[in-house]
Every structure is written in structure tokens, then in C-alpha cells.
Amino acid sequence: MKVNTQSVNFNANQELVSFIQNRLNKLDTFYDKVIHSDVYLKVENTSAKENKIAEIILHIPKDKFRIKKQCKSFEEAVDSACSSLERKLIKKKEKLRVYA
């Protein structure tokens, strides 16, 4: 799957980008028709510790899923967002099975 990663107002290191790529590649086990995904990483200027935002837009045929998570680290936010996407993809696959 093609993953477009954009970091807003900072430079993401290669380790973070490869973590995101590996984590999103695991979504293929739940739904094999994923076209591509867009990942946006942002840092919010607040005094709170949970100021890292990861927004993932997953494109599948005739639909797209958008998940936005805010956590203490980008890895945690991406992992949480991917867990939500896994649940959404499983629901989508179950719906397709019912109608088939």
C-alpha cells in the first residue's frame, strides 16, 4: 500500500516514517482492497502533554475513512488510529459479506 506521510511545521525522522509504513501495512490483513493512505502529523502548541496529532485518511474503493487521534507521542497516536481503522475495516468487510 502507498503511504503519503506529511509532517506539518516539523521534519519527521526516517524511523517514525518507517514505523507508520509498517503499521499501516498491517491493515492489509483486515481488508485487502486498500488503495492508499494519507498521514498528517501535527504538533499542537499547548501546555498539555498530549499535543501530538496524527490524522490518517485511508482510501478504499468507493469510500474513505478519516481517523484523528491526539496522544503524547506520534507512535502512540498512529497505533491508536490504526486500531480504530482495523475495527472500521472489519465492519466494512462484514457488511460486504452480508450483501454478497
Side-chain angles (χ1 to χ4, degrees), residues 7-45:
S7 51
V8 181
N9 295 331
F10 75 99
N11 292 328
N13 60 358
Q14 188 59 40
E15 189 177 310
L16 177 61
V17 173
S18 64
F19 171 80
I20 293 168
Q21 178 75 45
N22 291 336
R23 187 64 178 95
L24 287 172
N25 283 339
K26 291 179 185 176
L27 293 177
D28 284 337
T29 60
F30 297 98
Y31 193 82
D32 56 350
K33 296 181 175 93
V34 177
I35 300 169
H36 74 281
S37 60
D38 300 317
V39 181
Y40 301 99
L41 304 172
K42 303 171 192 163
V43 179
E44 195 174 70
N45 290 333

Side-chain angles (χ1 to χ4, degrees), residues 1 22-34 58 60 65 79 81-97:
M1 169 190 4
N22 291 336
R23 187 64 178 95
L24 287 172
N25 283 339
K26 291 179 185 176
L27 293 177
D28 284 337
T29 60
F30 297 98
Y31 193 82
D32 56 350
K33 296 181 175 93
V34 177
L58 193 72
I60 61 173
F65 296 128
D79 197 45
C82 284
S83 296
S84 297
L85 283 170
E86 287 171 5
R87 288 191 297 274
K88 283 185 176 267
L89 290 174
I90 289 170
K91 282 184 184 179
K92 178 79 172 174
K93 199 170 188 178
E94 289 296 319
K95 281 184 181 178
L96 290 175
R97 247 187 230 144

Side-chain angles (χ1 to χ4, degrees), residues 46-79:
T46 61
S47 60
K49 288 184 180 179
E50 294 187 351
N51 64 343
K52 313 280 191 305
I53 300 171
E55 182 177 1
I56 301 175
I57 303 170
L58 193 72
H59 298 269
I60 61 173
K62 300 181 184 176
D63 204 0
K64 66 180 176 181
F65 296 128
R66 179 186 303 250
I67 299 288
K68 190 174 188 180
K69 295 289 182 180
Q70 184 169 351
C71 295
K72 292 178 184 175
S73 69
F74 286 117
E75 289 86 356
E76 187 181 353
V78 168
D79 197 45

